[in-house]
Amino acid sequence: TFLNKNEMQVLGIDNNRIKPVEILSVNKHPNEHKKLIKITTESGKELIVTPEHKIAVKDLFGKMIFKEAQRLTGFDKVITMNYE
């Protein structure tokens, strides 16, 4: 599925810097388990992802790591970016 310009962005890494990256298209695959996880960030942003989807979070030392959504806990700090 192709998206309209500026319809969706995600965070990407370029030269060890986090920056927004525009999504041009989305591939839809069957979800065999029919299970989705809803993540709500401290700022109120919501993500709905499959359990295997990797999410950028800060570890105990403030370093960015990627964890599968199914392994997130209430103590994990999801990395988000404000943009308009």
Side-chain angles (χ1 to χ4, degrees):
T1 303
F2 291 97
L3 303 176
N4 295 322
K5 186 170 177 69
N6 297 322
E7 185 174 345
M8 183 182 294
Q9 293 182 337
V10 296
L11 295 178
I13 301 174
D14 184 22
N15 293 325
N16 292 325
R17 297 181 70 192
I18 299 172
K19 68 178 194 174
V21 177
E22 185 174 356
I23 302 295
L24 302 176
S25 64
V26 177
N27 295 323
K28 296 182 180 183
H29 297 282
N31 182 358
E32 294 176 15
H33 303 292
K34 307 281 189 253
K35 181 178 179 185
L36 294 175
I37 296 175
K38 181 178 180 179
I39 301 166
T40 304
T41 66
E42 288 180 342
S43 64
K45 293 180 181 179
E46 293 181 347
L47 305 166
I48 299 174
V49 297
T50 60
E52 302 82 23
H53 192 101
K54 295 200 175 171
I55 305 294
V57 298
K58 290 183 183 178
D59 69 6
L60 295 173
F61 305 103
K63 182 179 175 186
M64 183 176 63
I65 60 170
F66 294 89
K67 287 178 79 172
E68 288 185 349
Q70 64 191 345
R71 301 194 186 285
L72 293 176
T73 70
F75 299 105
D76 287 313
K77 301 291 183 191
V78 176
I79 297 174
T80 62
M81 181 176 232
N82 292 329
Y83 61 91
E84 294 183 25

